[in-house]
Amino acid sequence: VTVVESGGGLVQAGGSLRLSCEVFGRIFRSGAVGWFRQAPGKERETVAAIMWSDSTTYYTDSVQGRFSISRDKAKNTVALQMNSLKPEDTAVYYCAVDDWSNADRISGIRWYDDWGQGTQVTVSA
């Protein structure tokens, strides 16, 4: 499985960006696709994730109501729509795939096996 992210860039605070994650290879019906981010000097954190089967979603508290994750099963892609961006959203954003997931582990970084190279998101004040 190869994961490729796109859509990052520089945006002013309050603006929007849409990230795209394209997965080359099979995503199991039991799996999940997540978006993660890592800011300089900080640990990688889960931003949002979506179950491939039923679109159950997870959002970390800091992005709830501002970010939206969605999937397109026909294209094997997952999008992260980011609105009302803040400077603290600045980070490298990664997409990753977990072959088997459930509500308990969808947010757990350690379960995700196949990772992309990341895309930089910079939000200026």
Side-chain angles (χ1 to χ4, degrees):
V1 175
T2 301
V3 179
V4 179
E5 305 98 337
S6 62
L10 173 65
V11 64
Q12 288 187 333
S16 299
L17 279 176
R18 185 177 179 85
L19 304 183
S20 182
C21 172
E22 188 167 10
V23 179
F24 296 91
R26 182 178 179 182
I27 302 175
F28 289 95
R29 188 176 183 278
S30 58
V33 179
W35 280 99
F36 309 84
R37 66 186 179 188
Q38 188 165 19
K42 295 187 177 182
E43 293 187 355
R44 191 172 298 188
E45 65 170 341
T46 306
V47 176
I50 187 166
M51 294 292 295
W52 202 246
S53 59
D54 63 4
S55 294
T56 298
T57 57
Y58 164 85
Y59 296 95
T60 194
D61 288 346
S62 62
V63 307
Q64 189 79 35
R66 299 188 298 123
F67 291 12
S68 178
I69 189 170
S70 61
R71 61 148 171 73
D72 185 330
K73 295 183 80 174
K75 296 181 179 179
N76 252 30
T77 58
V78 172
L80 184 68
Q81 178 66 42
M82 306 187 295
N83 300 325
S84 302
L85 283 161
K86 304 175 181 180
E88 51 263 44
D89 294 318
T90 295
V92 177
Y93 283 70
Y94 299 89
C95 180
V97 179
D98 180 8
D99 288 340
W100 189 91
S101 189
N102 58 31
D104 291 329
R105 68 185 251 170
I106 190 174
S107 63
I109 290 177
R110 68 186 184 277
W111 301 116
Y112 288 79
D113 301 310
D114 302 298
W115 290 79
Q117 293 300 307
T119 185
Q120 177 70 45
V121 172
T122 302
V123 184
S124 61

